[in-house]
Amino acid sequence: MKLATYKDGSRDGQLVVVSRDLAAAHYATGIAAHLQQVLDDWGFLSPQLQDLYDALNAGRARHAFPFDPAQCMAPLPRAYQWADGSAYLNHVELVRAARHAEVPATFYTDPLMYQGGSDDFIGPCDDVVVPSEAFGIDFEAEVAVVTGDVPMGASPEQALDGIRLLMLVNDVSLRNLIPAELAKGFGFFQSKPATAFGPVAVTLDEVGEAWDKGRLHLTMQSTWNGRKVGLCDAGPEMTFHFGQLVAHICKTRNVRAGTIVGSGTVSNKGVQVNGKTEWPKGYSCIAEKRCIETIQDGKPTTEFMKFGDTIRIEMKGRDGQSVFGAIDQKIVAPA
């Protein structure tokens, strides 16, 4: 099933069920007001939502209305935890190669992860408000999962059983703030502003065989200012699958229902063409493009985002239909 949260003037919005083709929606009134309620009582509430979803798809839902992504908040407008990994080691390798640094061996056995702000997510069509262009504004196209309760010490296989939903992510980054923050030795903070999520969260059965052993084998499409810059495969080159990422958190603590875990920037390796490395599938963040330029030409030439720039991020299923709807945003200065 597909679930979204509509704006209603409150912090947590109103839960709606959305049809498979993203054409219609129905308020989940009488079942649950918010998505967090469903995650807290998944076994009891999700079957009721599934019944409503089935009725909506069959045209039997009496109070359905046209679905409008612009009315959506993030599916979870605020969450108990947002932990973002860096599961695509090709991305890390490019960043390191651009500054002539080796990738530590432990990066291939122990996932990178940071804990981001989870109190103020933004919706798929909300503007990205940034105080200054000088901060180095970048998009990052990612996949995320939402968990139920997963106990401390869970194995990757057990962690996979705790995954409830999939979501699309724009993990906005302020690249020019990152070096000084990392130099402090305490990780990201101001360089990671509010994160945006796609219109709908979907259950694993919605993507069928594309979900395989903790990886989503679909294409991440990134369109910057109307130009398609990324068509990256999200599945094959994901070094750590989502079960491993969730288990990484579980090493020393319980993971509670409503935890969101991100994949990190979806990234694919280059290919050799006539003795030269090319990246035909493009990129899912500008920083990676700049690293490629540095490796090839000695310096980056692609600039970061400016006020007025737009970014659209979308994934389509094997039937050609949008799975999550699109993240479609504009970069703006504070009012």
Side-chain angles (χ1 to χ4, degrees):
M1 64 184 158
K2 299 190 176 187
L3 304 171
T5 295
Y6 255 38
K7 298 174 180 177
D8 66 354
S10 71
R11 290 182 184 272
D12 296 304
Q14 180 66 50
L15 182 65
V16 298
V17 177
V18 183
S19 62
R20 182 171 288 112
D21 62 4
L22 305 179
H26 195 291
Y27 283 107
T29 308
I31 302 174
H34 313 302
L35 182 54
Q36 183 62 48
Q37 289 177 256
V38 181
L39 294 162
D40 285 336
D41 198 4
W42 186 260
F44 180 67
L45 294 177
S46 66
Q48 298 177 55
L49 291 172
Q50 183 68 49
D51 288 343
L52 177 55
Y53 180 66
D54 292 340
L56 183 61
N57 286 318
R60 293 185 282 102
R62 295 180 58 188
H63 301 292
F65 53 87
F67 178 59
D68 181 5
Q71 296 303 313
C72 288
M73 305 171 78
L76 271 176
R78 50 180 175 168
Y80 286 114
Q81 181 168 214
W82 160 231
D84 196 17
S86 187
Y88 297 86
L89 264 294
N90 179 66
H91 177 74
V92 179
E93 290 167 350
L94 283 170
V95 171
R96 292 272 172 158
R99 63 174 195 255
H100 305 289
E102 291 188 2
V103 179
T106 55
F107 282 25
Y108 294 93
T109 58
D110 194 34
L112 290 168
M113 187 171 286
Y114 79 93
Q115 194 162 36
S118 60
D119 59 326
D120 186 33
F121 295 139
I122 54 178
C125 301
D126 293 342
D127 290 339
V128 177
V129 182
V130 182
S132 172
E133 290 179 347
F135 289 170
I137 308 163
D138 199 356
F139 66 90
E140 286 192 60
E142 305 184 11
V143 181
V145 297
V146 186
T147 76
D149 289 333
V150 184
M152 181 169 59
S155 68
E157 292 71 27
Q158 291 169 329
L160 281 177
D161 291 337
I163 292 173
R164 300 286 181 255
L165 298 164
L166 293 164
M167 296 195 298
L168 197 63
V169 186
N170 179 15
D171 179 37
V172 182
S173 293
L174 303 179
R175 299 295 184 185
N176 293 339
L177 300 185
I178 289 176
E181 287 204 313
L182 295 185
K184 295 178 180 179
F186 235 49
F188 303 120
F189 197 79
Q190 291 176 335
S191 52
K192 290 290 187 177
T195 305
F197 292 87
V200 301
V202 309
T203 48
L204 303 182
D205 59 297
E206 286 296 320
V207 295
E209 293 181 355
W211 177 256
D212 184 31
K213 299 175 182 175
R215 295 177 174 88
L216 183 58
H217 292 260
L218 294 175
T219 300
M220 181 72 76
Q221 302 181 17
S222 301
T223 305
W224 178 16
N225 289 335
R227 177 173 171 262
K228 198 160 286 183
V229 296
L231 288 169
C232 297
D233 293 335
E237 296 177 47
M238 188 180 186
T239 308
F240 300 102
H241 64 68
F242 277 110
Q244 291 170 300
L245 295 179
V246 175
H248 179 77
I249 308 174
C250 291
K251 183 175 181 178
T252 59
R253 64 179 103 168
N254 296 313
V255 168
R256 293 308 188 192
T259 290
I260 304 173
V261 183
S263 66
T265 305
V266 176
S267 180
N268 293 154
K269 292 182 179 296
V271 296
Q272 291 296 312
V273 179
N274 298 323
K276 182 181 179 181
T277 304
E278 296 183 2
W279 281 266
K281 295 179 181 177
Y283 51 91
S284 299
C285 72
I286 301 168
E288 187 163 302
K289 173 63 170 173
R290 286 168 59 88
C291 288
I292 292 169
E293 291 168 345
T294 300
I295 294 166
Q296 290 182 326
D297 307 317
K299 64 178 181 179
T301 54
T302 300
E303 296 184 347
F304 289 118
M305 302 180 84
K306 306 295 184 184
F307 295 142
D309 280 10
T310 60
I311 179 63
R312 181 182 176 92
I313 299 170
E314 190 171 19
M315 262 188 164
K316 294 184 178 180
R318 294 178 177 176
D319 59 359
Q321 299 298 309
S322 185
V323 176
F324 305 97
I327 295 173
D328 200 346
Q329 300 181 289
K330 180 184 287 188
I331 309 298
V332 302

